[in-house]
């Protein structure tokens, strides 16, 4: 019985609470009397909240008459209303006439956009979430002026991001990513775009100098989503679809292949390679269909919850991304979680902690080119009469005489994967002892494990060519423990109403530690998956390991001042000390200064405010550094080698790298000038900037000269020369709304000019990409360097006249239809001195166009991106057109290639021998215009508000990379090239080939909020 009374008491209490509440209803509209759906309606000081429906209506319960309700929506000025005796409150929200009140994140602080004096571009997370990508930087393409993003294609591939060109030749060109105030290195593959609240790109040194030693390539600040005051809100986002992989080339069938090869053999004086081509009609091996999937699934999903009170806010999300490879084997899968809690214990004391565990795995075969290159006559499997019954499952495949290993068999054998586990913890404490003084300490620890495993089974497809007689197992485990500790004190004060000043001082400490162990073995008893362990290896076991550590200590400061919202000044100073340098050069200083004049706030501009909503001029200067080189380069290293002496294998040592105790920081000095404008209440707005940055004391890995007595492969890090990048950034934005119809357009335009100003000595030449690029004073770095292909010899007269002054032929082995290489220096000889500049990988300018439209519940976005003026080396030309190899060719090559006067002036004659070196000489034959225009994204969506028991339901259909216009005949014009692991990222840029293309993708999307 007593329980009945308890339940009666609880029911009575709930009834009392219910009767104590007041129901408030109303409608929220804009100044044009149009209802605004999705407006946040919050009872201040509580977690009670709701949102307006499609017609702008809301209903909410408040505790009592003294309550206040806050109405907020993006792009409008928030309003707070007291309840008093009201039961119905209708609100008209005013559009923010200035976007200048938006908060922009800068280094170690957040300020109003109107107070920014440097070159910073900001983009909201919702603009990044319109695309389904594994790396969020792909969503930046064309949306931020001054930023060039080149997609790399392939599961897990990281795009190349250049901020205002390049500032280094031999080191990484990637910007520094800072997530929630913590430097996270040069990759954000670990971060889902659904987790991002905003991104700020620090483009000039006056903005990025506060990050000093790692900011020479620019800085991208990322703010993740945090909880907001109000009831718990749940969000579910899903996009799923297919990536489309079509064969980029129309390859020859078996009959056409036989005809092409016979022509090549006949032109070189040989008999037919494959007599009677008609016998192969209808017998083509379709390697592409056998090994490459036309459509591969891609999925991006997230589920999150956020909410809280004025004392505690929280946000938690789990995100899943999966992109399969085109082979049906491997791909990239990632799971991330983010749990953020922020506490406000008192008006003076607050704290927060964020946990970010993640897991990802990746790996995929890289041989998709072989499905086009292998000849179409060889079958996939050995004929039955060639099988003995003793073969294992990897030995039943046929061998091609083209020397291309059977690609179907290679995919079948593939077992090469990487698993990575990470946990990042980021916490802060903040105290405000007096008004305006904020003391903050923030620490982050990241622990990671990466495990790489590879197994190569034994097989024999051809005893002389295609085999692995013994299987092998390899494994490497890499562990890292990194920590960062930042302490800042910021004092902000307004004096005499018009003088606004802020001073920040602080210090940071960072340490990065890692180690790895690896093992290798052979002779695993069998190829079964359960036996693929190091302990199962029976022969040639080997192991090793290493550890490394680097640290950085910094002192930072910033002073900001503005007078009456007209005149602004910001100065920063950072002093960095790095463990990578010796005592004499360990420390470096990185200052910056920027000013801004908001002329619109001058009295004489008052009459223009009906038209002008913003007009200001900016100028900035600063220095940033680069220390992104291996640890302890001031030490000499010993390499290990093996030589056979008197029939015995002898283990030897040699100096592989030499110490340079004078090595010092690479420094970039930057100056920029800009103007920001807004018209008609910022319907039309934009900015125009000119920048120039000079790099001094470039860090470079140089080989020792042979006369030094050291081996030719000995290297030493040193500081060499200087370079300069300059150009303009332009952003123009327009947005408007007419009744139920809204529309907007953003145009970005960027130019980059890069020039080497000096090298370590006059006349020095730096080669790259197997001597196919050259870097010299007065030119852009890494330009293509080779012979000029001056058309084809069309007749005997042309062939006979290509001689020196004595009548000696410059190309004695040339025949009609071969390439005529130009005697550039006119010395009557064709030699290395005739190599010259034949192209440049660097674009003259890049353009982005982003359109958005809305009508009632419909929305449509379209994003375009263009790169103009760059060249690409199409390395596939030799594979597709060269008759000297037995690989497959493009269909119709026998007609495309020169076969008589006037038939072609581009594709040389088919030749088995290629004595003229048409394809072995690196020449302008390979260089093509790499300009392109690409539709990055086209998305149509429809939203329901307050339907089906949900706050919002949006469905969408989108297509990514649907259409590309280009004259480039390679696989994909989005080519970065270069190898960042060998320091050849710049000197090897622009080389295309069988690169994994950026694929068209069709996706369905679902967004739910409740």
């Amino acid at each position: 019985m007593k329980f009945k009374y308890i339940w009666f008491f609880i029911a009575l209490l709930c009834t009392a609470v219910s009767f104590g509440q007041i129901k408030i209803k109303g409608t929220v509209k804009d100044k044009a009397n149009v209802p605004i759906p999705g407006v946040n309606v919050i009872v201040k000081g509580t977690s009670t909240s709701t949102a307006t429906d499609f017609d702008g209506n809301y209903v909410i319960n408040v505790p009592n008459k003294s309550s206040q309700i806050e109405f907020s929506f993006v792009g409008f000025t928030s309003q707070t209303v007291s309840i008093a005796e009201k039961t119905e409150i209708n609100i008209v929200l005013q559009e923010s006439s200035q976007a200048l009140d938006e908060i922009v994140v800068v280094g170690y602080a957040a300020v109003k956009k109107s107070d920014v004096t440097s070159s910073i571009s900001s983009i909201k997370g919702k603009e990044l979430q319109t695309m389904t990508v594994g790396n969020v930087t792909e969503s930046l393409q064309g949306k931020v002026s001054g930023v060039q993003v080149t997609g790399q294609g392939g599961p897990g591939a990281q795009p190349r991001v250049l901020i205002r060109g390049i500032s280094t030749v031999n080191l990484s060109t990637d910007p520094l990513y800072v997530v929630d105030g913590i430097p996270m290195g040069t990759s954000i593959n670990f971060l889902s775009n659904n987790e991002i609240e905003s991104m700020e790109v620090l483009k000039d040194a006056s903005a990025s100098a506060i990050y000093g030693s790692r900011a020479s390539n620019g800085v991208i600040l990322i703010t993740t989503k945090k909880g907001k005051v109000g009831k718990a809100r749940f969000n579910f986002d899903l996009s799923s679809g297919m990536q489309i992989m079509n064969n980029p080339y129309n390859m020859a069938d078996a009959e056409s292949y036989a005809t092409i090869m016979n022509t090549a053999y006949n032109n070189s004086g040989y008999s037919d390679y494959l007599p009677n081509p008609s016998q192969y009609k209808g017998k083509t091996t379709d390697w592409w269909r056998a090994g490459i999937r036309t459509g591969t699934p891609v999925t991006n999903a997230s589920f999150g919850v956020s909410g809280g009170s004025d004392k505690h806010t929280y946000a938690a999300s789990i995100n899943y991304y999966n992109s399969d490879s085109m082979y049906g084997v491997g791909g990239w899968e990632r799971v991330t979680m983010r749990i953020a809690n922020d506490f406000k214990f008192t008006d003076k004391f607050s704290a927060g902690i964020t946990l970010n565990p993640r897991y990802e795995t990746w790996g995929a075969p890289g041989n998709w080119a072989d499905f086009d290159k292998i000849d179409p006559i060889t079958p996939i499997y050995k004929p039955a009469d060639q099988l003995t019954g003793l073969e294992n499952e990897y030995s039943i495949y046929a061998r091609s005489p083209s020397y291309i290993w059977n690609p179907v068999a290679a995919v079948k054998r593939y077992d090469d994967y990487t698993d990575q586990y990470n946990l990042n913890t980021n916490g802060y404490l903040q105290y405000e002892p007096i008004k305006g003084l904020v003391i903050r300490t923030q620490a982050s620890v990241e622990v990671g494990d990466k495990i790489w495993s590879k197994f190569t089974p034994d097989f024999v497809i051809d005893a002389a060519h295609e085999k692995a007689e013994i299987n092998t197992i390899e494994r490497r485990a890499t562990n890292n423990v990194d920590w960062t500790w930042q302490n800042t004190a910021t004092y902000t004060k307004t004096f005499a109403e018009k003088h606004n000043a802020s001073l920040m001082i602080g210090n940071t400490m960072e340490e990065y530690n890692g180690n790895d162990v690896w093992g290798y073995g052979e002779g695993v008893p069998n190829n079964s998956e359960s036996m693929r362990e190091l302990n199962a290896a029976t022969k040639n076991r080997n192991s090793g390991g290493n550890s490394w550590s680097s640290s950085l200590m910094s002192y930072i400061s910033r002073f900001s001042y503005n007078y009456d919202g007209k005149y602004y000044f910001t100065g920063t100073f950072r002093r960095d000390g790095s463990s990578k340098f010796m005592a004499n050069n360990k420390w470096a200083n990185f200052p910056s200064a920027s000013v801004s004049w908001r002329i619109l706030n001058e009295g004489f501009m008052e009459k223009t405010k009906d038209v002008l909503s913003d007009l200001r001029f900016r100028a900035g200067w600063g220095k940033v550094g680069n220390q992104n080189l291996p640890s302890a380069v001031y030490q000499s290293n010993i390499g290990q080698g093996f030589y056979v002496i008197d029939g015995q294998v002898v283990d030897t040592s040699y100096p592989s790298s030499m110490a340079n105790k004078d090595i010092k920081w690479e420094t970039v000095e930057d100056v920029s000038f800009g103007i920001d404008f807004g018209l008609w209440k910022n319907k039309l707005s934009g900015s125009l900037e000119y920048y120039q940055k000079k790099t001094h004391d470039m860090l470079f890995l140089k080989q020792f000269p042979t006369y030094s007595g050291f081996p030719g492969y000995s290297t030493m890090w040193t500081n060499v020369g200087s370079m300069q990048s300059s150009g303009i950034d332009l952003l123009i934005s327009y947005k408007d709304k007419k009744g139920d119809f809204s529309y907007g357009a953003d145009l970005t335009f960027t130019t980059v000019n890069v020039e080497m100003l000096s090298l370590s000595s006059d006349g020095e030449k730096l080669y790259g990409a197997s001597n196919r690029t050259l870097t010299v004073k007065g030119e852009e770095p890494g330009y293509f360097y080779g012979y000029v292909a001056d058309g084809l010899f069309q007749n005997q007269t042309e062939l006979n006249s290509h001689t020196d002054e004595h009548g000696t032929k410059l190309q004695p082995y040339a025949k009609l239809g071969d390439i005529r290489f130009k005697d550039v220096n006119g010395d009557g000889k064709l030699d290395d001195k005739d190599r010259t500049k034949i192209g440049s990988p660097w674009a003259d300018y890049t353009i982005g166009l982003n359109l958005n439209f809305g009508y009632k519940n419909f929305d449509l976005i379209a994003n375009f991106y263009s790169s103009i003026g760059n060249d690409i080396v199409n390395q596939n030309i030799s594979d597709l057109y060269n008759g000297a190899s037995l690989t497959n060719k493009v269909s119709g090559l026998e007609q495309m290639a020169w076969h008589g006067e006037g038939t072609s002036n581009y594709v040389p004659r088919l030749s088995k021998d290629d004595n003229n070196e048409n394809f072995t000489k690196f020449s302008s034959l390979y260089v093509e215009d790499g300009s392109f225009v690409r539709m990055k994204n086209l998305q149509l969506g429809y939203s329901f508000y307050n339907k089906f028991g949900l706050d919002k339901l949006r469905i969408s259909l989108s297509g990514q990379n649907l259409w590309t216009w280009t004259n480039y005949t390679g696989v994909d014009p989005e080519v970065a090239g270069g190898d960042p692991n060998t320091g050849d990222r710049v000197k090897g840029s622009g080389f295309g080939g069988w690169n994994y293309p950026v694929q068209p993708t069709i996706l369905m999307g679902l967004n739910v909020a409740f």
Side-chain angles (χ1 to χ4, degrees):
M1 268 312 274
K2 60 182 179 180
F3 293 107
K4 291 184 179 180
Y5 290 109
I6 293 174
W7 286 113
F8 175 75
F9 177 77
I10 294 173
L12 186 63
L13 180 62
C14 291
T15 302
V17 171
S18 177
F19 277 118
Q21 291 183 333
I22 302 171
K23 180 181 289 187
I24 305 296
K25 64 179 182 179
T27 304
V28 181
K29 299 180 179 180
D30 63 16
K31 64 180 182 180
N33 204 35
V34 176
I36 308 176
V39 175
N40 293 317
V41 184
I42 300 173
V43 180
K44 294 199 68 173
T46 74
S47 61
T48 303
S49 64
T50 188
T52 57
D53 61 18
F54 177 71
D55 296 318
N57 298 320
Y58 73 93
V59 176
I60 192 169
N61 291 323
V62 300
N64 49 58
K65 295 180 179 180
S66 62
S67 300
Q68 292 182 314
I69 300 179
E70 182 180 56
F71 301 85
S72 62
F73 191 66
V74 175
F76 292 81
T77 302
S78 299
Q79 286 191 36
T80 301
V81 179
S82 299
I83 300 301
E85 302 296 329
K86 306 181 187 74
T87 58
E88 181 173 346
I89 300 176
N90 298 315
I91 295 294
V92 176
L93 288 182
Q94 300 295 320
E95 291 186 25
S96 299
S97 58
Q98 307 284 347
L100 303 175
D101 292 330
E102 295 178 3
I103 298 299
V104 174
V105 177
V106 297
Y108 306 98
V111 300
K112 289 195 300 183
K113 190 175 181 180
S114 58
D115 293 342
V116 173
T117 57
S118 304
S119 181
I120 300 177
S121 293
S122 181
I123 185 168
K124 300 302 180 185
K126 65 179 181 179
E127 297 179 58
L128 304 173
Q129 293 159 21
T130 58
M131 291 191 67
T132 297
V133 293
N135 188 298
V136 70
T137 54
E138 291 185 56
S139 299
L140 281 179
Q141 193 175 61
K143 295 180 180 178
V144 179
S145 62
V147 178
Q148 180 183 354
V149 180
T150 304
Q152 296 294 286
Q158 179 177 339
R160 184 179 72 175
V161 179
L162 299 178
I163 298 179
R164 289 183 168 175
I166 58 174
S167 57
T168 187
V169 170
N170 207 51
L171 301 179
S172 169
T173 58
D174 297 315
L176 171 68
Y177 295 95
V178 179
V179 180
D180 291 333
I182 300 298
M184 299 298 290
T186 57
S187 172
I188 52 169
N189 262 8
F190 62 86
L191 193 64
S192 168
N193 54 357
N194 291 320
E195 297 174 313
I196 296 176
E197 182 71 27
S198 68
M199 293 180 71
E200 274 76 29
V201 182
L202 311 186
K203 297 187 291 187
D204 68 353
S206 66
S208 59
I210 197 72
Y211 288 101
S213 63
R214 290 178 295 171
S216 63
N217 296 321
V219 180
I220 296 181
L221 307 180
I222 300 172
T223 303
T224 61
K225 293 179 179 178
K226 298 295 180 65
K228 298 179 180 179
V229 175
K231 71 176 183 180
R233 291 184 175 275
F234 297 87
N235 293 276
F236 174 72
D237 299 285
L238 171 67
S239 60
S240 183
M242 300 292 287
Q243 293 179 323
I244 310 302
M245 181 58 186
N246 293 316
N247 195 333
Y249 298 110
N250 180 22
M251 303 302 292
D253 61 19
E255 182 180 16
S256 179
Y257 170 78
T259 300
I260 292 169
M261 295 311 302
N262 288 344
T263 303
Y265 271 65
N266 297 160
N267 287 345
S268 297
Y270 302 105
S271 57
D272 285 351
Y273 172 65
L274 295 168
N276 188 19
S278 61
Q279 67 173 307
Y280 299 104
K281 188 172 184 177
K283 297 181 180 179
T284 300
T285 300
D286 193 341
W287 291 98
W288 187 269
R289 180 172 294 182
I292 304 296
R293 298 192 295 177
T294 301
T296 56
V298 58
T299 301
N300 190 27
S302 68
F303 180 76
V305 58
S306 64
S309 65
D310 54 355
K311 297 295 184 182
H312 169 225
T313 57
Y314 58 88
S317 66
I318 182 169
N319 305 271
Y320 174 78
Y321 180 84
N322 181 72
S323 175
D324 285 354
S325 81
M326 66 175 74
Y327 309 92
V329 173
W332 180 30
E333 187 174 31
R334 181 188 65 201
V335 180
T336 66
M337 293 183 65
R338 186 167 291 269
I339 305 168
N341 284 277
D342 292 273
F343 305 91
K344 188 174 183 181
F345 301 110
T346 68
D347 290 339
K348 296 180 179 293
F349 185 50
S350 59
I353 186 169
T354 300
L355 298 177
N356 179 206
R358 63 183 186 271
Y359 164 76
E360 57 183 317
T361 179
W362 66 89
N367 67 330
W368 73 272
D370 293 344
F371 289 90
D372 268 347
K373 292 163 64 176
I374 192 169
D375 73 86
I377 294 176
T378 300
I380 296 173
Y381 299 97
K382 293 177 180 177
D385 60 0
Q386 294 182 15
L387 296 174
T388 65
L390 300 177
E391 295 88 356
N392 66 15
E393 61 179 313
Y394 304 109
S395 304
I396 60 175
Y397 297 90
R399 179 243 174 172
S400 168
S402 67
Y403 293 96
I404 300 296
W405 281 27
N406 189 309
V408 174
V411 171
K412 178 68 174 178
R413 295 191 303 269
Y414 184 83
D415 186 354
D416 186 348
Y417 296 99
T418 302
D419 297 296
Q420 184 159 341
Y421 308 81
N422 287 79
L423 174 63
N424 178 271
T425 304
N426 180 4
Y428 72 88
L429 296 173
Q430 185 168 297
Y431 181 58
E432 188 175 1
I434 60 175
K435 186 177 180 180
L437 176 62
V438 177
I439 301 172
R440 182 183 177 95
T441 183
Q442 183 172 358
S444 172
V445 178
E446 175 159 298
V447 180
D449 291 295
K450 182 165 68 174
I451 302 171
W452 168 73
S453 299
K454 181 180 181 180
F455 180 80
T456 303
D458 59 281
F459 68 97
V460 178
I461 291 176
D462 178 76
H465 169 64
E466 195 169 344
K467 64 179 180 177
E469 294 181 337
I470 189 169
N471 59 30
T472 61
I473 177 74
E474 300 174 74
R475 185 162 296 165
R476 180 184 296 271
T478 304
N479 305 305
N480 70 282
V481 178
D482 308 327
W483 60 266
T484 301
W485 187 20
Q486 304 172 351
N487 300 281
T488 59
T490 305
Y491 184 66
T492 304
K493 181 72 173 179
T494 298
F495 303 91
E497 296 184 353
K498 293 184 178 182
H499 299 271
N500 306 287
S502 177
L503 174 65
M504 183 272 289
I505 58 173
N507 82 301
T508 72
M509 290 173 282
E510 304 171 29
E511 187 172 274
Y512 302 89
N513 303 283
N515 66 80
D516 66 358
V517 293
W518 59 268
Y520 172 86
E522 300 175 349
V524 176
N526 60 63
N527 294 323
S528 65
E529 290 191 15
S530 60
M531 294 294 291
R532 298 179 181 184
E533 301 291 344
L534 286 169
N535 276 346
T538 60
K539 298 179 180 179
N540 297 328
R541 286 191 183 181
N542 199 358
S543 63
N546 199 3
S547 61
W548 55 88
S549 178
S550 65
S551 59
L552 190 70
M553 175 174 281
S554 309
Y555 299 95
I556 57 177
S557 62
R558 176 195 290 113
F559 175 72
S560 300
Y561 170 81
N562 82 77
Y563 173 74
D564 199 22
K566 300 177 184 177
Y567 315 112
Y568 295 82
F569 169 81
T570 301
T572 70
F573 181 82
R574 178 167 178 141
R575 181 169 172 80
D576 277 332
S578 172
S579 64
K580 296 183 178 181
F581 301 97
M582 291 290 285
N584 291 341
N585 296 312
K586 185 177 293 293
W587 291 90
N589 301 321
F590 302 103
S592 78
S594 57
V595 295
S596 175
W597 177 27
R598 195 169 177 218
I599 189 174
L600 185 68
N601 283 356
E602 297 287 2
F604 59 80
M605 296 292 291
E606 190 67 31
K607 294 182 179 180
T608 69
K609 289 188 176 181
D610 289 340
V611 177
L612 285 173
S613 45
D614 185 25
L615 182 62
R616 56 179 171 163
F617 301 96
R618 292 182 285 107
W621 167 89
K623 286 186 176 182
V624 288
N626 195 341
Q627 51 114 37
N628 188 22
L629 72 171
S631 301
V633 298
Y634 50 78
Q635 297 176 349
S636 297
N637 294 313
I638 302 298
Q640 185 180 34
F642 299 92
Y643 292 89
V644 178
I645 302 177
D646 293 332
Q648 300 293 321
V649 178
V650 179
D651 188 354
T652 63
S653 299
Y654 62 90
S656 61
S657 65
M658 302 304 298
N660 182 358
K661 296 183 179 180
D662 295 323
I663 193 78
K664 59 183 177 181
W665 299 82
E666 181 176 280
T667 304
V668 178
E669 186 173 7
D670 180 299
V671 62
S672 64
F673 303 92
I675 179 174
D676 300 316
F677 62 89
L679 300 170
W680 306 298
K681 297 184 178 179
N682 276 338
K683 284 185 179 180
L684 178 66
S685 61
S687 64
L688 175 65
E689 299 178 71
Y690 170 79
Y691 67 90
Q692 182 185 90
K693 56 183 182 180
K694 294 182 179 180
T695 305
H696 306 281
D697 301 318
M698 290 189 304
L699 290 167
F700 204 88
L701 186 63
K702 295 191 66 174
Q703 289 188 342
F704 269 77
T706 54
Y707 59 75
S708 67
F710 291 100
Y713 36 73
S714 294
T715 59
M716 180 177 71
W717 281 93
T718 186
N719 297 98
V720 295
S722 59
M723 64 181 293
Q724 175 179 289
S725 293
S726 61
I728 62 170
D729 296 346
L730 173 66
L731 168 65
I732 298 177
S733 179
Y734 184 81
K735 58 183 179 181
D736 200 5
K737 185 175 183 181
K738 303 291 185 182
D740 292 332
F741 182 64
S742 61
Y743 54 94
D746 294 322
L747 175 70
T748 63
F749 179 85
T750 302
T751 69
V752 180
N753 299 297
V754 187
E755 179 186 355
M756 296 301 302
L757 299 178
S758 66
L759 290 168
S760 57
S761 61
D762 288 339
E764 182 175 12
K765 297 180 179 181
L766 302 178
Y767 295 93
S770 301
N771 289 335
R772 293 177 296 173
T773 70
L774 184 62
T775 300
V776 297
K777 178 181 177 181
E779 294 280 359
E780 70 266 46
Y783 66 75
F784 304 136
Y785 184 67
Y787 295 92
V788 176
D790 191 21
L792 307 180
F793 292 112
Q794 297 292 335
N795 51 54
Q796 195 65 39
T797 300
E798 292 184 4
L799 190 62
N800 293 338
S801 62
H802 192 53
T803 63
D804 63 12
E805 60 183 356
H806 303 294
T808 303
K809 289 185 176 181
L810 299 182
Q811 296 173 233
Y813 299 105
K815 294 184 178 181
L816 296 182
D818 282 335
I819 293 176
R820 177 175 51 240
F821 295 108
K822 190 173 182 179
D823 179 14
V824 173
N825 63 357
D827 64 354
K829 295 185 293 184
L830 191 65
D831 55 22
D832 192 66
K833 295 179 181 179
D834 293 305
R835 298 172 69 198
T836 186
K837 181 178 181 180
I838 55 176
S840 172
W842 311 114
D844 294 329
Y845 50 90
T846 57
I847 304 172
L849 177 62
N850 306 286
L851 308 174
N852 64 84
F853 307 92
Y855 179 72
K856 293 187 176 180
N857 289 29
F858 287 96
D859 61 85
L860 175 69
I861 61 171
N863 308 123
F864 300 86
Y865 179 74
S866 177
S867 176
I868 306 296
N870 60 294
D871 298 309
I872 299 176
V873 173
N874 183 1
Q875 300 178 103
N876 293 354
I877 284 176
S878 180
D879 291 326
L880 301 174
Y881 302 152
N882 186 4
S885 71
L886 297 178
T887 59
N888 198 9
K889 316 300 175 189
V890 291
S891 179
L893 178 59
E894 67 273 22
Q895 295 301 316
M896 296 168 56
W898 188 94
H899 54 280
E901 185 171 357
T903 55
S904 175
N905 201 36
Y906 172 65
V907 181
R909 69 186 182 95
L910 289 169
S911 170
K912 169 58 181 169
D913 296 329
D914 192 21
N915 292 326
N916 190 55
E917 299 183 292
N918 294 321
F919 295 97
T920 55
K921 281 185 184 294
F922 179 62
S923 72
S924 56
L925 171 72
Y926 290 96
V927 179
E928 299 182 2
D929 180 9
S931 303
F932 71 92
V933 178
R934 171 167 280 167
M935 176 184 283
K936 290 300 299 180
N937 191 26
L938 181 65
Q939 185 179 96
L940 177 65
Y942 185 86
S943 299
F944 300 90
Y945 295 94
N946 294 315
K947 302 288 186 181
F948 319 114
L950 304 172
D951 292 338
K952 181 181 178 181
L953 171 65
R954 180 177 181 268
I955 55 176
S956 62
L957 174 65
S958 62
Q960 298 177 183
N961 307 305
L962 291 179
W963 171 81
T964 303
W965 176 87
T966 183
N967 289 325
Y968 176 62
T969 64
V971 173
D972 188 351
E974 281 203 62
V975 171
D979 186 352
N981 298 317
T982 61
D984 210 21
R985 188 61 146 170
V986 172
K987 302 191 304 298
S989 187
F991 282 81
W994 297 98
N995 47 296
Y996 203 117
V998 176
Q999 297 166 262
T1001 307
I1002 305 297
L1003 296 148
M1004 289 293 297
L1006 177 68
N1007 310 97
V1008 179
F1010 56 96

